[in-house]
Amino acid sequence: MSRESSISEGGGWVQWFCAMEDHQFLCEVDDEFIRDNFNLYGLKSKFNFYNEALDLILSSETPDDEDLEDERFLEVYQEATDLYGLIHARFIITAKGLSMMKEKYLGGKFGACPRVLCERQNVLPVGMSEELRTSRVKVFCPRCEEVYIPKKKCPDVDGAYFGCSFPSIFLMNFIQEIQIPANNQTYVPRVFGFRIYKKKGSRYQDTQQKVAEITHYSEEQLKKLRGKNDQQAKEDYVQK
């Protein structure tokens, strides 16, 4: 995360945090929403420094260079980041949160689908798990209905900050206002103009192959991901 150029004058922690580089997917959650204990139900048990983290989020001051060099502050800051993310996931499915995300969507703040045949269709952020530190945020294309890695990797934006259901809830709420073009084009691989045996578009296409339907990571997939993450961490440590 780039912090050195992210300190802003005034506005409080939330505005400062959302204005940071690579945080363009996030919207500013109202203090009123954060202060309502009903909206925070079930979150306290997930954090060691819950009260301190919540106080930091609601602070009217922004961290300075001295704060960002303090180890104790950084521990609380990390928890505040994740706590805000989980609150954010709840806020963006409220009427006000959906409206704020709609403005970002229409402005192309989440990027465009990398699939050529989607013709730069705007995408929506999505998580592949409701659990923290499982997967970074991904983007969902409402035209081809596929999930992709965002063009800007957003390395410290967790997928849990948006949750698995956000795109579906968003599209159900704005189905009359946002017209999504039909996905009526598909790419067919060919060799010198001829379709390929048993491949897509061929009359002999293999239709027996089973395709798994995935809307979020299963427990088995989560175990594999955690194994890969642990291995990557070991490799990074050895390289250092």
Side-chain angles (χ1 to χ4, degrees):
M1 182 184 298
S2 176
R3 299 190 183 95
E4 60 274 8
S5 60
S6 300
I7 308 296
S8 61
E9 294 295 330
W13 188 91
V14 171
Q15 184 178 343
W16 169 81
F17 181 71
C18 291
M20 295 180 76
E21 186 180 358
D22 294 336
H23 286 190
Q24 69 273 17
F25 284 13
L26 299 171
C27 65
E28 295 180 21
V29 180
D30 292 343
D31 278 7
E32 184 180 349
F33 184 89
I34 299 172
R35 293 180 188 279
D36 188 337
N37 288 331
F38 177 79
N39 298 323
L40 309 181
Y41 181 78
L43 296 181
K44 188 171 185 177
S45 61
K46 298 177 182 291
F47 300 96
N48 296 319
F49 306 112
Y50 175 82
N51 291 326
E52 296 95 321
L54 189 59
D55 287 342
L56 180 58
I57 290 170
L58 293 169
S59 174
S60 59
E61 300 178 355
T62 57
D64 55 27
D65 292 336
E66 188 175 334
D67 289 328
L68 297 173
E69 292 175 359
D70 182 86
E71 289 187 14
R72 165 69 177 180
F73 175 85
L74 290 176
E75 284 183 320
V76 175
Y77 171 80
Q78 183 57 58
E79 293 220 340
T81 297
D82 288 338
L83 176 58
Y84 181 79
L86 295 183
I87 295 170
H88 180 272
R90 298 179 178 189
F91 176 72
I92 60 175
I93 57 175
T94 65
K96 185 169 184 179
L98 284 166
S99 179
M100 293 170 71
M101 295 297 274
K102 177 187 169 187
E103 291 295 318
K104 284 180 172 285
Y105 170 81
L106 294 175
K109 299 296 185 182
F110 306 128
C113 181
R115 180 175 177 264
V116 173
L117 298 179
C118 282
E119 300 172 328
R120 298 195 59 76
Q121 167 68 46
N122 284 349
V123 294
L124 291 160
V126 66
M128 294 298 289
S129 173
E130 304 288 352
E131 298 299 320
L132 289 166
R133 289 176 288 282
T134 298
S135 175
R136 293 171 183 162
V137 65
K138 305 295 187 291
V139 290
F140 170 81
C141 174
R143 186 167 179 177
C144 65
E145 298 185 334
E146 292 290 351
V147 174
Y148 301 94
I149 295 172
K151 186 175 181 180
K152 292 198 75 172
K153 297 296 178 64
C154 305
D156 56 349
V157 179
D158 200 296
Y161 297 178
F162 300 89
C164 304
S165 303
F166 169 68
S168 299
I169 294 172
F170 179 92
L171 293 169
M172 285 191 294
N173 274 269
F174 300 119
I175 191 169
Q176 300 298 330
E177 301 174 51
I178 298 175
Q179 298 298 318
I180 307 297
N183 181 29
N184 54 12
Q185 300 181 85
T186 186
Y187 175 79
V188 176
R190 296 173 185 262
V191 174
F192 301 122
F194 294 97
R195 299 185 183 195
I196 304 171
Y197 179 65
K198 285 194 174 182
K199 294 295 184 181
K200 185 169 61 175
S202 166
R203 63 183 296 185
Y204 302 106
Q205 180 178 346
D206 185 0
T207 58
Q208 301 302 313
Q209 185 176 358
K210 293 183 179 180
V211 178
E213 295 183 359
I214 297 174
T215 54
H216 61 277
Y217 286 137
S218 65
E219 285 299 318
E220 185 178 344
Q221 289 168 320
L222 289 175
K223 288 178 183 177
K224 289 180 181 178
L225 280 171
R226 290 182 185 123
K228 287 181 180 179
N229 290 339
D230 290 344
Q231 182 60 35
Q232 185 62 50
K234 289 177 183 177
E235 291 176 2
D236 291 343
Y237 180 78
V238 170
Q239 289 175 0
K240 288 177 182 179

